[in-house]
Amino acid sequence: MTPDDPRDRAASKLLSYVLRHHPEEAGVTLDPQGWVEVDALLAGLTARGTVLSRTDLDRIVATDGKRRYAYSEDGARIRASQGHSVDVDLGYAPAVPPPVLYHGTAERFLASILATGLERRARHHVHLSAAIATARQVGGRHGRAVVLHVDAARMHGDGFAFFVTANGVWLVESVPPGYLAVP
Ligand code: HQG
């Protein structure tokens, strides 16, 4: 979370929680593509004790380091660009991935990953990064980071569908062990 203000950071965490996992906690529902009316969201958060104005929300959306949230074209709705556990279809079109993508994880997960491949766990997809540095940061959230190299070119050739989110995260259903390398 990159907003400078600690209150913005806390609000951004709450937004992720609501928009990806528990919209009911703010008294709102997501439409099938994950969108929620901004006015309803702000009213729901306020009722729950987090008073957030449209100006606050605009600032959080604009300063989030991973560009986690996106407004609809008319600015009336908002959604998380990725990371949901609730059932939404974000409508991303399949895309041709770069030849190599990276996945950061914790060292202690490595043996299991090399045995069964990367699984999506609680999320809709396995998340991959185009940049090693990003993958290392993602891995560091779980422990001592290790970066796996994913042979995306071969996976794509073998028929795996890849998607890229509005904030540049690459998504794929799973990565079988044969496409993984630990440098
Ligand atoms: C691991 C953040 C054992 C996987 C980041 C990961 C990302 C396995 C953990 C986004 C496994 C799941 C996603 C297997 C996968 N055996 N462990 N077979 N398969 N794992 O948090 O990729 O801040 O659901 O390596 O920047 O860490 O939310 O996924 O360590 O883009 O916007 O299971 O979350 O973005 O952890 O992170 P997560 P992730 P946000």
Side-chain angles (χ1 to χ4, degrees), residues 101-107 109-110 113 118 126-150 180:
L101 285 167
Y102 304 96
H103 179 86
T105 190
E107 250 177 31
F109 298 153
L110 205 50
I113 290 172
L118 285 169
V126 170
H127 288 220
L128 304 172
S129 312
I132 295 188
T134 309
R136 191 163 291 122
Q137 277 167 17
V138 172
R141 291 156 56 246
H142 299 286
R144 187 189 281 264
V146 48
V147 174
L148 294 156
H149 292 213
V150 175
L180 291 169

Side-chain angles (χ1 to χ4, degrees), residues 32-128:
Q33 287 78 42
W35 297 105
V36 62
E37 297 290 332
V38 173
D39 290 347
L41 176 68
L42 296 179
L45 289 173
T46 298
R48 186 190 175 279
T50 301
V51 180
L52 210 61
S53 70
R54 175 70 196 229
T55 311
D56 295 330
L57 190 64
D58 287 348
R59 188 180 57 249
I60 291 166
V61 170
T63 58
D64 185 87
K66 291 188 185 170
R67 292 181 291 126
R68 290 180 176 87
Y69 317 105
Y71 285 127
S72 56
E73 263 173 39
D74 63 3
R77 295 175 302 157
I78 187 170
R79 74 177 182 183
S81 293
Q82 35 77 214
H84 300 75
S85 58
V86 295
D87 188 21
V88 291
D89 177 1
L90 298 172
Y92 293 124
V96 181
V100 179
L101 285 167
Y102 304 96
H103 179 86
T105 190
E107 250 177 31
R108 68 181 187 286
F109 298 153
L110 205 50
S112 162
I113 290 172
L114 292 177
T116 61
L118 285 169
E119 297 162 349
R120 60 198 181 89
R121 302 282 154 126
R123 305 193 190 242
H124 286 190
H125 296 94
V126 170
H127 288 220
L128 304 172

Side-chain angles (χ1 to χ4, degrees), residues 1-18:
M1 303 277 159
T2 35
D4 293 334
D5 185 321
R7 273 169 310 174
D8 280 2
R9 284 205 294 276
S12 181
K13 275 201 171 143
L14 179 61
L15 278 180
S16 276
Y17 179 76
V18 166

